[in-house]
Amino acid sequence: MNFRDNLKDELFFQNIQLKEFSGKLKIPYSTFLSYIDSRNRLPKVDVAYKIAEQLNVTVEYLITGKPEDNYKKNLTNTNKELLVLPSCFINQIQNIIHSYYELYKLTNNMR
């Protein structure tokens, strides 16, 4: 996955309204859309940092999709409990989330 896909996924996961988010970043809505639509523009480094900071993730995560090594420090107890679920449950949960996201994309014309 790339920056655009990781950003779109994180925005969806956090249920963030795009117009409101671009306002928090103090960048034009059309500019922000260019990062997640078919134009697939990459933001300048300082903007990518602001995006990551607002989402409470790292720029590295937005680029690679891999969480930083010390991300477990910030997990809540519930999230820590989820980490010890048997892998079969984790796979089922991931499949459910993925299916829900695909359905959401279809119903909202997000391709």
Side-chain angles (χ1 to χ4, degrees):
M1 290 180 52
N2 57 29
F3 183 90
R4 179 188 73 170
D5 295 333
N6 293 327
L7 177 57
K8 283 171 66 174
D9 285 350
E10 193 62 34
L11 291 166
F12 173 77
F13 178 73
Q14 293 189 29
N15 195 28
I16 292 175
Q17 300 298 315
L18 303 181
K19 210 167 216 176
E20 181 182 318
F21 191 69
S22 67
K24 285 182 182 178
L25 297 170
K26 297 181 180 165
I27 61 172
Y29 180 60
S30 60
T31 300
F32 182 72
L33 283 181
S34 72
Y35 305 146
I36 59 173
D37 66 13
S38 60
R39 291 175 279 180
N40 201 18
R41 282 189 50 215
L42 287 173
K44 293 180 181 179
V45 174
D46 60 323
V47 175
Y49 179 80
K50 283 177 22 177
I51 292 170
E53 188 175 49
Q54 282 291 320
L55 293 172
N56 201 27
V57 298
T58 63
V59 174
E60 178 183 2
Y61 170 75
L62 290 175
I63 294 169
T64 67
K66 297 177 186 174
E68 61 182 282
D69 290 336
N70 64 353
Y71 78 102
K72 290 183 182 177
K73 286 189 227 172
N74 299 322
L75 294 176
T76 65
N77 286 336
T78 303
N79 290 341
K80 288 178 184 174
E81 290 170 8
L82 287 174
L83 288 176
V84 297
L85 283 174
S87 61
C88 64
F89 291 133
I90 293 173
N91 291 337
Q92 289 175 348
I93 292 168
Q94 287 173 333
N95 289 337
I96 290 168
I97 292 170
H98 179 72
S99 297
Y100 179 75
Y101 179 63
E102 291 300 316
L103 179 63
Y104 176 81
K105 287 192 319 187
L106 286 173
T107 59
N108 291 289
N109 295 323
M110 291 180 59
R111 297 179 189 183

